[in-house]
Amino acid sequence: MSQVKTADSSYNAGKLQVLEGLDAVRMRPGMYIGTTSVRGLHHLLWEIVDNAIDEALGGHATEVAVTLHKDGSASVWDNGRGVPVDEHPQLHVSGVELIYTRLHAGGKFGNENYAYSGGLHGVGASVVNALSKWLTVDSFRDWTHYQMRFETVWDEKEKKFHAGRVVNGLEKIGNTRKRGTLVRFLPDDTIFTEDSRFNSETVSRRLRELAYLNKGLKIVFHDERAKDAEKQHMEFCYAGGIGDYVKFLNANKTSLHDAPIMIEGKKDDVICSVSMQYTDGYTESVFSYVNNIPTGEGGTHEMGFRTAMTKAFNDYARKIGALKEKDANLAGEDFREGLTAVVTVMVKNPQFEGQTKGKLGNSEVKPAVENVVALGLTEFLEDLKNGELAQRIVEKAIKSAKVREAARKARDVARQRNSLEAAPLVGKLSACTGRKAVENELFIVEGDSAGGSAKQGRDRRFQAILPLRGKPLNAEKKRLDQVLANDEFRSIITALGTNIDEDFDLSSLKYHKVIILSDADQDGAHIRAILLTFFYRYMRELVAQGHVYIGMPPLYLVKRPGGIQEYAYDDKELKKLTAGKKNYTIQRYKGLGEMNPEQLWETTMDPANRKLMRVTLEDAAREDEIITILMGDKVDPRREYIISHAEFNKEDSFEAHAMTEKEN
Ligand code: TSJ
């Protein structure tokens, strides 16, 4: 393997520092990419993809392609200008070398065209280089194909790795008629020890999302590892941008109008696009983004959007006489009943706040978005050809206000009677004896029989069991009053002690771990999705503060001679357990009910042995989105989706982060 050149004129103190900078990334990868779990692994890919998308955003590229290769590497290509290859006047190294070896260097800095680049993933290509075994860059520029290669090399003298060193300096490979940049890298599996393989589902989902967010951009995805031809090659390109996105989200629902309401504008350096489509349902689904990054916790852009919507619709309602002078204004939520919307903004120097950094904090964005949306929406409503739709939305809102008022009254009565505390829990919840909420755990268990096993197997000092009989109803199609009327949800609300929605109070939480235990089959996945959607919609803080977990029962029991029994939680573990062994039998667990109380305790409930996945707000939001897509009026696509996504215990599906108890 080649060595790093020393003692030439370009080798100066500054450069040495730079290289040690990359080594530092390997010492503390978490500081740069947050985590070395699969999530951090994907951050590497998003960083590179972001750079290609930036080239398109700047108007220089029309196509981006991502390939997952069989050797575990990934490559990203765009048909833009090609990364600059000329030498930096002071540093005497090429632009390419600068981008990959200097922390925080790159085209994005000090360049107006790149002012809106992503703030969250923007760790720099150099970080990707530092955390890869090797990385290659091909630049097709000025009719010439240039190439450069970096490797993380072992230093025998110093007994350590040097991150991302140049092994092949910038070379002219030949002539070309192509333009663009191709970057390929192999994530270092000694860094990403948990899992160093890219997840096809995660990657394709995000690429599809990026295609919706960047109107007209063609994004191609190749997964050379996939067996299924259908999954090997996908193309995403949406001429309607986020308008197509809301149509996709509403595909299984009955929408009130065909063409989404589109609003676009720029105010004070904030570029803002909104698409809205109403359905005949009751729930509101607003998906927001800042510089192409999802903001699951909302923030100032969503606030501006809501304020503007409320104002524009109320003004319009008065103008057409639906609201009289004496009438109070309608509430914002009344105009959002049945609404699916996508709000996306481009912001300079975005500040991300909140637990998961999923909330936009920039205060200047609210008035800017408010201005753009109020103007655009008013224009839409006052356009005579939209009059009929506008009238229907106002009527729907007036109806919603009436129902809401009735529900509030009913709730007040219910609260006075304290009925939430009473009936549904009798004979259902098996409470624990301990009184310390911080230590206590509530297992929400699918089915009475598994509930019975859990009840017998648990440590009653701190573990409470709430069995669910059948499925709780899907919160998606229901109004709050209907959700409150459902016994399964009522018992969960009562057991947790927090109340819900506007009245939610985290400080009254009686169990700091809320653990969903469902079967590893379709029904189980469905129940889990419904529960997560419920928590996401009505107890969001519970998820945001990390109180919600998914219990992981083992999938297999391996028995060997001599009475040896071992459990495997996924196929990978099963392979490990049986590798090189003869004389064993495998029992596959289909449901929790197949385990006796001792087995359930040992494998799934005992904090010393069990596996839990902590649910992030992102995970819950994804379930919510899936439910939004699925729980429409049409049945077949829904079934198909559930079936293809239900095997959550397989490595490459549900992506909450598996953690053992110790890591928490
Ligand atoms: F991440 C990355 F940096 F490695 C990367 C960059 C990865 C990929 C897939 C693409 C890119 C990239 C960078 N694509 N296109 C560019 N463009 C530039 O860096 C560029 C090109 C021309 C000029 C110019 O002023 O002529 C300026 C820049 C910044």
Side-chain angles (χ1 to χ4, degrees), residues 48 51-52 55 76 78 81-84 99-100 107 114 125 141 181 183:
I48 301 298
N51 281 281
E55 187 73 355
V76 182
D78 69 60
R81 295 166 294 176
V83 282
I99 294 175
Y100 291 95
Y114 289 81
R141 191 177 164 88
T181 305
V183 171

Side-chain angles (χ1 to χ4, degrees), residues 66-305:
V66 174
T67 304
L68 302 180
H69 299 278
K70 283 202 170 122
D71 63 0
S73 67
S75 60
V76 182
W77 167 85
D78 69 60
N79 63 349
R81 295 166 294 176
V83 282
V85 288
D86 42 323
E87 200 168 84
H88 190 279
Q90 279 96 46
L91 297 166
H92 302 293
V93 292
S94 67
V96 183
E97 185 169 343
L98 273 182
I99 294 175
Y100 291 95
T101 56
R102 299 208 79 166
L103 281 180
H104 306 297
K108 289 178 183 181
F109 291 80
N111 184 332
E112 261 303 297
N113 295 335
Y114 289 81
Y116 294 106
S117 295
L120 194 68
H121 301 130
V123 290
S126 56
V127 170
V128 179
N129 184 21
L131 300 177
S132 297
K133 284 218 155 111
W134 52 258
L135 182 149
T136 59
V137 190
D138 291 85
S139 180
F140 302 87
R141 191 177 164 88
D142 304 331
W143 313 112
T144 313
H145 175 187
Y146 301 90
Q147 193 178 58
M148 187 161 189
R149 182 178 169 94
F150 305 83
E151 274 176 24
T152 291
V153 294
W154 176 248
D155 184 329
E156 187 55 41
K157 239 208 237 119
E158 291 190 43
K159 300 278 183 230
K160 64 170 198 174
F161 281 106
H162 291 303
R165 297 296 170 94
V166 177
V167 291
N168 287 333
L170 194 67
E171 255 185 292
K172 276 191 191 178
I173 300 285
N175 296 334
T176 183
R177 299 164 81 155
K178 290 190 270 189
R179 290 162 75 250
T181 305
L182 174 70
V183 171
R184 179 166 173 176
F185 65 101
L186 178 69
D188 191 334
D189 59 6
T190 65
I191 302 267
F192 300 96
T193 48
E194 192 181 286
D195 194 349
S196 65
R197 287 176 65 74
F198 291 106
N199 181 311
S200 194
E201 184 80 23
T202 308
V203 174
S204 61
R205 268 187 91 85
R206 173 65 177 153
L207 295 180
R208 188 186 62 197
E209 180 178 63
L210 282 167
Y212 278 126
L213 292 170
N214 298 280
K215 185 161 64 190
L217 174 63
K218 179 171 162 189
I219 303 184
V220 181
F221 174 52
H222 299 278
D223 187 353
E224 293 180 347
R225 313 160 313 170
K227 292 178 201 89
D228 192 348
E230 207 176 290
K231 289 186 174 163
Q232 263 168 26
H233 177 101
M234 297 181 199
E235 278 190 34
F236 309 107
C237 182
Y238 305 103
I242 57 171
D244 286 348
Y245 194 7
V246 293
K247 280 192 183 165
F248 163 77
L249 290 167
N250 283 341
N252 291 320
K253 298 185 187 163
T254 308
S255 37
L256 299 188
H257 51 115
D258 215 33
I261 303 172
M262 299 296 303
I263 299 163
E264 285 177 327
K266 177 173 176 174
K267 168 89 179 163
D268 301 334
D269 278 347
V270 177
I271 301 168
C272 169
S273 311
V274 173
S275 68
M276 305 162 61
Q277 191 182 41
Y278 282 90
T279 70
D280 66 353
Y282 303 114
T283 51
E284 160 195 348
S285 299
V286 176
F287 297 89
S288 67
Y289 297 85
V290 175
N291 299 1
N292 287 334
I293 298 164
T295 36
E297 295 175 79
T300 51
H301 54 331
E302 275 196 28
M303 282 160 62
F305 166 68

